[in-house]
Amino acid sequence: MSGTNLYFDYNATTPIDPEVLAVMSAVARDNFGNPSSSHCFGHPAAALVQRARLQVAQLLRAEADEICFTSSGTESDNLALKGVVLPLLLQGRKPHIIISAVEHPAIIETCLFLEQAGAAITRLPVAADGTLNPSQVTAAIRDETVLVSLMLANNETGVIFPVNEISAITRAHGILLHTDAVQALGKLQIDVSELGVDLLSLSGHKVYAPKGVGALWVRTGVEIDPLLHGGGQESGLRSGTENLVGIAALGRACELLTENMTDEGRRVKLLRDRLESELDAALDQQLVFHGHRLLRVPNTISLSVPYVDGEALLAHLDLENIAVSAGSACSSGEHQGSPVLRAMGVNSDIAQGSIRISLGRWTTAAEIDTFLEKFTIIVRRLWAISPLYKNR
Ligand code: PLP
């Protein structure tokens, strides 16, 4: 997309699709009206929001009035969890929530906040391949359980959780089920009725729309409290004058996915699988790949290079203008393996050498070839100067 820079970090964020950008500039130029205004400037603005609502709903096979636009995936996750749990805390109850140990910080940190406010949280462990067994959910349910929140696809490994099986359990117990579908949208077909969830979060900038727009899908009949109080926009669920440009962009981005997702997924999966197998062969099967081989989204690779620090590898790739993401989180100067990989039981030495490679709409076969060539040279160079590698 951008000259000689190779972008392999689509799970972090995506470029804006030119067709989405065209909608954005047209809306910014032609529609400055406030959607709440009852006049000839407000009406077209309100119609744009409504159109986008339909476009997002169609991708999810949902109803348009079930879509609540937000500012991000993070806000959608906060709205889902706090919207269910805070009213119960205010009534003096002690609600219980079930999540997994590998959720995004938007869920993990929100749960820490709710825990401090009096809620009880269960964090389910995952298997070594990152999968989750639905029977763990059954075992964790208590009388006070009000909400289960499990991601549809993991941002680091791409591993898919069996959310549709879990919904059979939550429904039987009369418990709400939220799924963070931020990394699944555009990579998996989503049908909210088939999934059986009650609340679903998504984010614009992961699906070729801009940053600063997201949505929460709320099943008809599910009551949650707003986080933002004010003018009562979004059916009272999210006050604040609508981000017209962002919302129209998200709508168009979802429409493009409805049209092209299947072909795009197939193309990206072929490239991803080739990259993975050729990397493995080029480095003599010494790489460690993380996550279930089949139950994962088509664009993501999570791997560790033994005896190499993920951050060092990232820096060397960056010098070659190749962008990937390091799986390890660095806090106060100390490298810790990624919490996701640690939850999968990956030992800390291997976890520290982890990187995430994620492909997308503009990844080409030629970019895969360049990546393979440069990555192999860099790893061999790093191994050559690693005493640990020599003494292995
Ligand atoms: N949930 C998951 C699984 C994510 O990967 C992300 C972003 O990386 C988010 C939530 C947060 O979305 P946003 O960046 O729109 O706040």
Side-chain angles (χ1 to χ4, degrees), residues 72-74 77 104 151 155 180 182-183 203 205-206:
S72 59
T74 300
D77 284 346
H104 188 270
M151 65 205 320
N155 43 305
D180 176 337
V182 167
Q183 291 291 347
S203 172
H205 74 103
K206 311 285 185 183

Side-chain angles (χ1 to χ4, degrees), residues 38-367:
S38 304
H39 52 53
C40 56
F41 289 86
H43 298 316
L48 276 175
V49 175
Q50 209 40 40
R51 174 152 193 253
R53 217 183 286 291
L54 196 62
Q55 289 166 319
V56 177
Q58 270 167 353
L59 180 60
L60 304 177
R61 314 247 161 94
E63 299 299 326
D65 60 6
E66 296 175 320
I67 304 296
C68 172
F69 289 112
T70 65
S71 68
S72 59
T74 300
E75 184 187 331
S76 301
D77 284 346
N78 271 264
L79 177 57
L81 269 57
K82 292 176 185 166
V84 170
V85 173
L86 282 180
L88 301 173
L89 289 169
L90 288 172
Q91 288 166 21
R93 288 172 54 184
K94 197 171 170 16
H96 173 235
I97 312 168
I98 299 170
I99 61 170
S100 80
V102 296
E103 297 298 314
H104 188 270
I107 297 291
I108 302 266
E109 295 297 319
T110 302
C111 282
L112 268 179
F113 167 81
L114 291 170
E115 197 167 39
Q116 281 157 11
I121 315 289
T122 297
R123 296 161 181 89
L124 299 177
V126 293
D129 61 5
T131 56
L132 185 109
N133 188 332
S135 66
Q136 292 171 263
V137 176
T138 312
I141 289 173
R142 311 176 187 163
D143 290 345
E144 306 76 32
T145 311
V146 292
L147 178 67
V148 174
S149 177
L150 294 167
M151 65 205 320
L152 195 47
N154 187 271
N155 43 305
E156 269 183 58
T157 59
V159 170
I160 299 165
F161 278 170
V163 170
N164 57 343
E165 288 175 52
I166 290 161
S167 69
I169 300 166
T170 51
R171 280 188 172 183
H173 286 83
I175 296 165
L176 291 174
L177 177 59
H178 166 251
T179 191
D180 176 337
V182 167
Q183 291 291 347
L185 194 79
K187 298 170 189 152
L188 299 176
Q189 294 286 353
I190 296 179
D191 176 327
V192 284
S193 300
E194 266 174 29
L195 267 186
V197 292
D198 301 290
L199 299 149
L200 179 145
S201 300
L202 58 96
S203 172
H205 74 103
K206 311 285 185 183
V207 293
Y208 310 96
K211 293 150 190 70
V213 64
L216 181 68
W217 169 80
V218 185
R219 178 184 296 287
T220 303
V222 171
E223 297 286 333
I224 63 170
D225 274 15
L227 296 181
L228 300 184
H229 300 86
Q233 288 88 346
E234 297 299 286
S235 306
L237 203 47
R238 208 268 183 182
S239 285
T241 302
E242 296 86 340
N243 167 9
L244 208 51
V245 171
I247 288 172
L250 178 57
R252 180 67 181 128
C254 287
E255 192 176 54
L256 289 174
L257 287 174
T258 303
E259 288 162 9
N260 306 322
M261 211 187 98
T262 314
D263 290 345
E264 184 168 301
R266 220 177 277 135
R267 191 188 75 84
V268 165
K269 184 175 185 305
L270 282 174
L271 291 175
R272 191 271 313 264
D273 291 350
R274 176 161 80 84
L275 177 57
E276 208 165 55
S277 63
E278 291 187 17
L279 276 177
D280 198 29
L283 292 162
D284 312 322
Q285 277 82 42
Q286 294 183 80
L287 300 178
V288 180
F289 291 94
H290 304 295
H292 195 283
R293 296 295 77 198
L294 300 175
L295 296 174
R296 59 184 174 142
V297 290
N299 79 317
T300 308
I301 299 175
S302 169
L303 62 80
S304 291
V305 182
Y307 314 107
V308 167
D309 182 72
E311 295 287 343
L313 184 54
L314 184 119
H316 279 81
L317 287 166
D318 188 35
L319 286 173
E320 298 285 348
N321 300 323
I322 298 176
V324 300
S325 155
S328 64
C330 182
S331 72
S332 56
E334 267 185 51
H335 287 312
Q336 307 168 328
S338 115
V340 171
L341 296 186
R342 277 188 284 141
M344 289 161 63
V346 175
N347 85 40
S348 62
D349 287 348
I350 293 292
Q352 270 177 36
S354 74
I355 59 162
R356 176 187 69 188
I357 306 164
S358 46
L359 287 59
R361 191 164 290 172
W362 290 285
T363 310
T364 63
E367 287 183 338

